[in-house]
Amino acid sequence: MCRLFSLTSRDPVSPMLAINALNVMKEGHDGSGVGLYLHDLGGPFGEMKEAPILSGIFTEAGLKRLSQTAAEIGLDPKYSMTFSPQTPPPPGTPKRGTYLARAYDIPEAWKGLPADELAQEYTRFRLMLRASGEELGDMQVFSFWPDTIMVKEVGDPLTVGQYLGLDNKDLVARRILAQGRQNTNYAINLYACHPFFLQGVCSMTNGENTAFIPIREYLSSRGVDGYSGYQSDSEVFAHILHFTLKRLGLGLEYYKHIITPLTDEELEGHPDRENLIRLKQACRKLIIDGPNCVIGCLPDGAMFMVQDRKKLRPGVVGGKPGIFAFSSEICGLNAAIPDRDPSKDFQPMHLDTAIVRPDCQEVTICNQMQVLPRLH
Amino acid sequence: MQSNAGLTPSTLSLKDLPWQIDWDIHTCTLCGRCTAVCPVNAIELGVFRKRELHAKPGIPEKPTNTYTIYHGIRQRTDPAYRCIGCAMCNMVCPNNAIRPRQLSESPMLWYHNNRGGQPRTRGGRRNEHGPNLLDQVKFIRISMLTDPALDAGRHEFELKTLLGRILPPEEEINALKTDGWTPPVREIYPLIIGGMSFGALSPNMWEGLYMGISYLNEELGIPARISTGEGGCPPRLLRSRFIKYVILQIASGYFGWDEIIRAIPEMQEDPCAIEIKYGQGAKPGDGGLLMWYKVNKLIAALRGVPQGVSLPSPPTHQTKYSIEEAVAKMIQSMYMAWGFRVPVYPKISASSTSLAVLNNLVRNPYAAALAVDGEDGGTGAAYNVSINHMGHPIASNLRDCYLNLVAQGRQNELPIIAGGGIGKNGNIAANAASLIMLGASAVQVGKYMMQAAAGCIGSEGDRCNVCNIGLCPKGITSQDPRIYRRLDPEKVAERVVDVYLAFDTEMRKIFAPLGRSTSLPIGMSDALGIADKDAAERLQIKYVV
Ligand code: SF4
Ligand code: SF4
């Protein structure tokens, strides 16, 4: 079972903080990979919040092709951060080329587009690059979105982090999601590596989603750009979250009701019973199964943890005003925020959603038995 | 036998009959119970001639002989009275002195099953030996090391399904916000007892099944449902609260619908759903058929017809000319009759036109589901040729339907109920789970219930199959009180409950290791494998050898 660790902090911090926390939970994963999601960036990227950032891995040819393709549609590179390690890669990690995060000025044609159309343009561009990269083998693209960087690689998280030089002082962020294992249920493939990201919505999971195939079939049939690829059974968690927020217009409080609805008995006395029953029926295709702990981050920077219906996975939230962390194990929390009050640590159970809002002040617990915000 | 003793082309020898009666002279007490119980008079008391030789010891005296007679059991060879292998004679024999035995190699009877130019009509099943496709499907995705398997005994499982049209989430939320109408949806158990009519079944059988269903619902909280089949529903049941566990079926003969329409104003509860029957798996393209033998006073009264006449339902609803029209008119009028509160769906036989029907239903916002019945379905009466040779297997037909919905993004919005041959060889849970993972929202069974809950002795080897002529030896499909009082409704109810409970346990035993517990694994095709390459390709599941 892989270990998960995420941080939400008032001040930008280095991703190495999260990677170190993963490292202390090492027994729990086989060190086969690392995935990082960095959002609300500090450093030079922090000064260009609106500019979409492309992150991925490119060969020489890939970099050239990227420049051409970007220029063709009028994307103007603004600032790049590259990692082209000169040392030989650590054992298990292939030699790949350049790890790139590049911010762009968007073309005239995109300026003034409504937010969701702009989001679509970003997504299409990323998918186009991904597809052509898969064909020619010269690029892997993980995200193209403002204020967001994603890094994925195979190998031991700490070693890979050092190898890529992620301790770069310019690479800091306020929201960090980190995961320490390659996907094992399906083919080894960087696209299968957590976290998964789509249009500001990000999630990672440890566990197995046995309802994957029907959910994948359903999501793929929704006609949404970006609901595709599916190299991992956990990718659907990010897309269900995206679906809940963007397509259904529901808040995070509803996410758990979608993926693990209440039983009939629990619904019996629920103040929102009627609505919840109908929601459960309409969204039945999105009910997940299998042991899962899901950690995710919303476009507004809220970070959360939910558990599967049976709470078969560990997970804990803790911290202090200004910085909070979500971790598979308490030792990860101890490593990252040693000076917090551990008596306030919280382990979400099968009905809970633990949320830390972007102000990083407290952990809010949203229980499925509670009244929900009104639909409007 | 002398050559002038009436040998005709249809004179068969004992050797030509598929079922042979082994009768043991040494243990028979000549009580006559077997001949009395035999539903088809295949055996009769016989008088046999015997010559006994008396040879005295010593040479001088010559041996003498005497002629005597003795009584015994004789098997008749007239095709009209051939033994059907039901073994009722054995069941009633105090000494086990008699039993039927199947003769594998004799095909002669097949050529003489059409006396008077009438092809054989029979009830029962398809009579095809061997494992069917569903029995060959394996469940291959077992959670072991990557994740702890669930515990079928301890964990909670949600083994329920939805019957009724489900709106896409966006539309449902919109309806929630604007207080709009949404189609009625029922949460039910995914094992439905399929349509077997009051008329096809004896009153005792009917009562037993419905008692069992009511007990499951009221006492055990298992939302099991049963379809009435065509032929109406007893008025007392229509007006009772138990009607909510019942799916009322309407077919092209409209038998019994006068009663139902009349009862609507007095109904305490809505029925679970309305099923419009267009076809059935055992005889695609044929309507219903209740042969005259079974149309007694009660059945005649309930169906509003004269006594003692055969009651064929035509193969189509004669007032409609197309599926579009039928769907539009029938479904809408049925919806209207119950104030848009009851799901209405059609049942068709699996065939290459299933997809066409499905596509029509997808576009009809009122259609609540589609029931598809495969070739292995059983029946109360049909032509032999229809039962044995017509129809489409359920697995691939269902799969086509499901994948068609997936391609349109409509999966599970229009639930598909699959039937036809589920549990044919006794593997009801495995068969049902396979179909659910291939895309069915629920499955329906008929003959499995008759066999398991009432002891129907029909088998897949042309045994019994006299359901049509009112002689059902077990009293399941007979309308003759002298016969059906053999069947104790209470015991049938008990067995229905046993079947459901055992099914439930086995379903958990399948779903738990696959890691599924929070919702029914509809369409979880990655869990299925089969050792037949063509079948794997056709069903889009894994090929495992
Ligand atoms: S097996 Fe059935 S049909 Fe045959 S003789 Fe016995 S009772 Fe009659
Ligand atoms: S036992 Fe009755 S129901 Fe079963 S096959 Fe024989 S006649 Fe038909």
Side-chain angles (χ1 to χ4, degrees):
Chain A
M1 181 186 82
C2 42
R3 296 303 194 252
L4 309 174
F5 189 86
S6 75
L7 268 175
T8 171
S9 158
R10 193 179 43 214
D11 308 312
V13 291
S14 163
M16 287 314 280
L17 192 59
I19 290 185
N20 282 326
L22 276 185
N23 199 47
V24 299
M25 300 189 274
K26 195 165 182 169
E27 284 136 60
H29 58 79
D30 57 3
S32 56
V34 62
L36 272 181
Y37 161 77
L38 309 175
H39 174 66
D40 203 348
L41 303 165
F45 282 115
E47 266 129 56
M48 42 191 97
K49 293 274 178 196
E50 296 304 314
I53 304 170
L54 183 77
S55 40
I57 309 175
F58 300 81
T59 63
E60 274 307 310
L63 274 179
K64 246 189 230 125
R65 212 157 58 75
L66 169 66
S67 304
Q68 272 168 15
T69 324
E72 270 162 33
I73 59 166
L75 278 166
D76 191 10
K78 205 171 147 104
Y79 173 77
S80 298
M81 187 181 276
T82 57
F83 310 89
S84 330
Q86 297 312 314
T87 53
T93 308
K95 189 147 182 62
R96 297 199 197 256
T98 302
Y99 298 76
L100 172 80
R102 179 175 287 168
Y104 288 94
D105 271 333
I106 58 172
E108 279 309 315
W110 290 4
K111 288 183 185 149
L113 283 181
D116 50 339
E117 278 176 40
L118 191 59
Q120 272 191 19
E121 295 293 351
Y122 290 163
T123 310
R124 284 196 201 121
F125 180 65
R126 173 176 63 83
L127 292 176
M128 186 263 285
L129 287 183
R130 171 172 168 169
S132 76
E134 272 169 333
E135 203 177 299
L136 301 171
D138 58 356
M139 45 173 114
Q140 307 195 57
V141 183
F142 305 125
S143 61
F144 181 57
W145 196 256
D147 209 8
T148 301
I149 294 176
M150 299 211 65
V151 182
K152 296 185 178 186
E153 189 45 281
V154 179
D156 175 67
L158 189 60
T159 332
V160 170
Q162 285 159 349
Y163 165 67
L164 296 181
L166 296 183
D167 46 4
N168 184 331
K169 68 171 183 3
D170 284 345
L171 188 66
V172 284
R174 292 181 185 83
R175 317 285 159 243
I176 299 174
L177 263 63
Q179 199 255 15
R181 196 176 83 171
Q182 244 293 343
N183 171 63
T184 42
N185 280 350
Y186 296 86
I188 302 288
N189 173 324
L190 281 191
Y191 285 119
C193 189
H194 304 234
F196 299 104
F197 175 79
L198 179 64
Q199 299 179 349
V201 177
C202 183
S203 83
M204 60 183 179
T205 314
N206 59 2
E208 180 183 27
N209 178 16
T210 43
F212 170 51
I213 297 293
I215 297 179
R216 180 187 70 183
E217 277 171 353
Y218 187 69
L219 287 171
S220 319
S221 68
R222 294 297 88 194
V224 175
D225 289 327
Y227 292 178
S228 61
Y230 299 117
Q231 302 286 347
S232 160
D233 57 335
S234 303
E235 198 161 359
V236 297
F237 289 99
H239 294 174
I240 298 173
L241 182 58
H242 181 272
F243 191 77
T244 309
L245 302 172
K246 304 266 163 118
R247 275 304 268 266
L248 305 185
L250 300 174
L252 179 57
E253 300 81 0
Y254 281 88
Y255 183 52
K256 195 149 198 332
H257 284 284
I258 306 276
I259 56 173
T260 57
L262 294 172
T263 62
D264 295 351
E265 296 76 54
E266 287 162 337
L267 281 170
E268 221 30 76
H270 200 287
D272 292 305
R273 181 170 180 274
E274 290 307 315
N275 285 2
L276 284 177
I277 289 179
R278 283 167 65 178
L279 206 61
K280 176 177 171 179
Q281 292 176 345
C283 297
R284 179 172 61 150
K285 280 91 50 168
L286 299 172
I287 297 176
I288 60 143
D289 228 321
N292 291 108
C293 170
V294 186
I295 295 177
C297 190
L298 268 45
D300 68 359
M303 203 174 268
F304 69 92
M305 176 189 279
V306 291
Q307 291 286 355
D308 63 88
R309 176 68 207 171
K310 302 198 163 57
K311 166 68 175 138
L312 285 169
R313 282 284 187 249
V316 59
V317 191
K320 56 182 185 182
I323 182 163
F324 282 88
F326 297 68
S327 175
S328 298
E329 290 178 27
I330 293 191
C331 62
L333 261 188
N334 290 344
I337 318 176
D339 55 342
R340 75 191 192 287
D341 175 359
S343 69
K344 296 221 174 84
D345 289 355
F346 183 78
Q347 309 202 15
M349 287 294 144
H350 71 293
L351 296 175
D352 302 321
T353 306
I355 308 170
V356 177
R357 303 279 172 198
D359 58 7
C360 296
Q361 285 309 306
E362 57 176 355
V363 184
T364 334
I365 306 303
C366 165
N367 185 294
Q368 273 182 283
M369 300 304 284
Q370 289 166 357
V371 189
L372 284 159
R374 274 186 52 121
L375 294 167
H376 46 74
Chain B
M1 198 181 284
Q2 270 126 36
S3 62
N4 62 355
L7 273 183
T8 70
S10 282
T11 305
L12 299 182
S13 73
L14 263 182
K15 268 295 274 182
D16 296 322
L17 297 175
W19 293 97
Q20 305 276 307
I21 287 302
D22 291 346
W23 170 71
D24 182 2
I25 187 174
H26 303 296
T27 44
C28 177
T29 57
L30 294 180
C31 66
R33 291 191 195 182
C34 58
T35 49
V37 81
C38 177
V40 292
N41 295 324
I43 41 177
E44 55 193 358
L45 288 169
V47 184
F48 300 88
R49 200 163 76 124
K50 179 160 110 178
R51 174 183 169 220
E52 243 173 300
L53 204 61
H54 309 287
K56 305 255 169 64
I59 304 295
E61 280 188 65
K62 279 188 169 177
T64 57
N65 60 29
T66 47
Y67 291 95
T68 54
I69 54 163
Y70 70 95
H71 305 281
I73 304 295
R74 188 196 301 277
Q75 180 176 1
R76 298 169 74 167
T77 53
D78 183 333
Y81 300 98
R82 89 250 188 257
C83 168
I84 53 173
C86 68
M88 286 305 285
C89 47
N90 176 268
M91 282 183 232
V92 297
C93 177
N95 286 354
N96 255 334
I98 188 166
R99 68 186 59 166
R101 172 170 49 85
Q102 196 166 24
L103 202 63
S104 52
E105 98 276 13
S106 176
M108 278 313 287
L109 182 65
W110 292 111
Y111 303 107
H112 298 276
N113 257 333
N114 51 8
R115 281 290 193 82
Q118 292 284 337
R120 182 181 177 205
T121 317
R122 64 177 171 89
R125 56 222 71 238
R126 193 144 189 267
N127 294 334
E128 206 178 45
H129 289 286
N132 61 359
L133 185 103
L134 286 177
D135 290 325
Q136 296 169 45
V137 175
K138 308 174 221 271
F139 307 106
I140 54 168
R141 188 191 197 289
I142 310 297
S143 298
M144 270 174 296
L145 257 182
T146 59
D147 286 290
L150 294 167
D151 185 328
R154 287 195 193 94
H155 284 131
E156 77 182 2
F157 282 76
E158 181 90 5
L159 291 188
K160 281 189 210 145
T161 194
L162 300 177
L163 175 62
R165 195 190 193 84
I166 294 121
L167 294 181
E170 295 91 333
E171 283 175 37
E172 182 69 46
I173 285 179
N174 201 28
L176 277 175
K177 286 180 189 162
T178 56
D179 248 342
W181 179 80
T182 38
V185 176
R186 308 279 196 243
E187 220 169 310
I188 64 168
Y189 197 75
L191 179 68
I192 301 172
I193 303 186
M196 295 179 283
S197 68
F198 192 93
L201 299 182
S202 69
N204 283 15
M205 179 62 181
W206 176 277
E207 199 179 337
L209 289 178
Y210 286 74
M211 275 199 293
I213 288 292
S214 303
Y215 187 90
L216 284 165
N217 278 281
E218 307 249 313
E219 297 296 325
L220 303 177
I222 295 179
R225 296 292 181 266
I226 183 168
S227 161
T228 57
E230 180 183 25
C233 184
R236 194 162 55 99
L237 177 56
L238 283 173
R239 290 169 177 78
S240 79
R241 68 191 158 90
F242 302 109
I243 195 70
K244 59 177 180 281
Y245 310 136
V246 177
I247 297 168
L248 292 175
Q249 191 186 82
I250 183 167
S252 51
Y254 301 88
F255 293 125
W257 270 77
D258 280 4
E259 271 309 334
I260 294 176
I261 301 294
R262 269 198 290 273
I264 291 180
E266 291 158 34
M267 281 190 177
Q268 294 181 40
E269 300 257 9
D270 289 331
C272 167
I274 309 296
E275 178 174 80
I276 308 171
K277 190 192 78 185
Y278 291 91
Q280 53 203 311
K283 40 179 168 175
D286 250 349
L289 173 57
L290 187 68
M291 294 175 75
W292 64 268
Y293 311 87
K294 289 162 77 172
V295 185
N296 66 5
K297 200 171 159 195
L298 174 67
I299 301 303
L302 199 74
R303 296 194 172 203
V305 294
Q307 245 178 284
V309 293
S310 287
L311 301 180
S313 267
T316 58
H317 288 257
Q318 301 289 301
T319 47
K320 317 282 177 326
Y321 300 109
S322 68
I323 174 72
E324 288 85 353
E325 193 191 356
V327 163
K329 281 190 187 159
M330 293 279 296
I331 294 187
Q332 259 156 39
S333 47
M334 287 296 147
Y335 256 110
M336 223 125 68
W338 274 275
F340 293 86
R341 298 184 310 267
V342 177
V344 183
Y345 66 88
K347 169 177 170 175
I348 58 165
S349 41
S351 71
S352 50
T353 52
S354 301
L355 280 185
V357 177
L358 180 72
N359 283 329
N360 269 301
L361 295 177
V362 167
R363 286 191 290 273
N364 183 320
Y366 295 109
L370 175 65
V372 192
D373 198 15
E375 62 177 359
D376 260 330
T379 178
Y383 286 96
N384 199 42
V385 71
S386 308
I387 303 188
N388 279 351
H389 300 284
M390 296 186 71
H392 197 304
I394 186 60
S396 53
N397 204 262
L398 163 81
R399 191 74 180 136
D400 290 349
C401 289
Y402 180 73
L403 291 176
N404 176 303
L405 289 181
V406 169
Q408 303 183 52
R410 306 292 205 130
Q411 59 270 47
N412 304 0
E413 274 176 28
L414 195 77
I416 308 174
I417 304 167
I422 296 161
K424 168 175 173 160
N425 297 310
N427 310 313
I428 185 175
N431 289 177
S434 305
L435 283 170
I436 287 170
M437 290 186 221
L438 288 172
S441 284
V443 297
Q444 55 180 14
V445 292
K447 67 185 188 221
Y448 185 90
M449 279 298 161
M450 301 177 54
Q451 287 176 295
C456 157
I457 45 200
S459 74
E460 304 292 333
D462 203 9
R463 183 172 151 175
C464 201
N465 291 348
V466 289
C467 333
N468 55 329
I469 49 177
L471 292 177
C472 172
K474 286 293 198 118
I476 303 166
T477 60
S478 167
Q479 298 300 346
D480 184 340
R482 289 168 305 178
I483 298 181
Y484 68 66
R485 69 175 172 232
R486 293 173 185 171
L487 195 67
D488 181 348
E490 302 275 350
K491 292 271 181 292
V492 172
E494 231 174 271
R495 288 289 302 141
V496 169
V497 174
D498 288 348
V499 167
Y500 266 87
L501 292 181
F503 176 86
D504 197 70
T505 304
E506 289 201 340
M507 287 300 258
R508 286 159 198 253
K509 287 285 175 197
I510 295 170
F511 294 157
L514 304 184
R516 291 301 300 271
S517 64
T518 15
S519 72
L520 207 63
I522 302 168
M524 188 192 180
S525 53
D526 55 324
L528 301 180
I530 193 166
D532 175 328
K533 203 165 181 136
D534 295 330
E537 200 175 303
R538 180 73 176 74
L539 299 177
Q540 299 187 25
I541 59 177
K542 288 211 183 68
Y543 169 50
V544 284
V545 272

